[in-house]
Amino acid sequence: QVQLVESGGGSVQPGGSLRLSCAASGIIFSRYAMGWYRQAPGKQRELVAAIPSGGSTKYADSVKGRFTISRDNAKNTVYLQMNSLKPEDTAVYYCNAERRGRGEGYWGQGTQVTVSL
């Protein structure tokens, strides 16, 4: 059974930091591109950051310079370091694993990030 389990969400004040983790099981992790998406109430899910195996990272313009995606294939885990958080970053953050060109993709259950005064 494939599982993607996110952790690290919570509430933080503007300017604060959080580090999200996503632990994957049931897949050969190194063969998958990993990504973080987010969805705020009433809005569509959007790509925040992605990190293919052996490829360059990709970020949404809204988070460039503030967020950093990384992966540890030995731990089957992808991370999202979020700094200088803004209220507009408030959303449920989802981990995604994708085997590109193979029609294989998986989602985690999501973790809530709330940035407010």
Side-chain angles (χ1 to χ4, degrees):
Q1 183 179 12
V2 176
Q3 285 191 319
L4 302 177
V5 181
E6 300 99 334
S7 62
S11 297
V12 66
Q13 293 183 345
S17 298
L18 287 171
R19 190 190 191 203
L20 306 183
S21 298
C22 172
S25 60
I27 62 171
I28 302 176
F29 184 79
S30 62
R31 297 183 180 179
Y32 286 76
M34 302 299 298
W36 288 97
Y37 291 71
R38 67 187 181 188
Q39 187 167 24
K43 297 184 178 180
Q44 295 187 17
R45 189 171 299 186
E46 64 174 345
L47 176 68
V48 177
I51 182 167
S53 289
S56 60
T57 56
K58 179 181 180 180
Y59 298 93
D61 288 342
S62 59
V63 308
K64 284 182 179 178
R66 300 188 298 120
F67 291 10
T68 302
I69 189 170
S70 61
R71 65 190 292 163
D72 186 339
N73 287 349
K75 296 182 178 179
N76 288 358
T77 301
V78 62
Y79 306 93
L80 185 68
Q81 178 67 46
M82 304 185 294
N83 298 326
S84 302
L85 283 161
K86 303 175 180 179
E88 50 262 45
D89 295 318
T90 296
V92 177
Y93 284 70
Y94 296 91
C95 179
N96 172 261
E98 180 184 359
R99 189 86 180 273
R100 295 181 177 180
R102 302 291 188 94
E104 300 176 15
Y106 304 96
W107 292 95
Q109 79 288 344
T111 185
Q112 177 71 46
V113 171
T114 301
V115 185
S116 64
L117 293 170

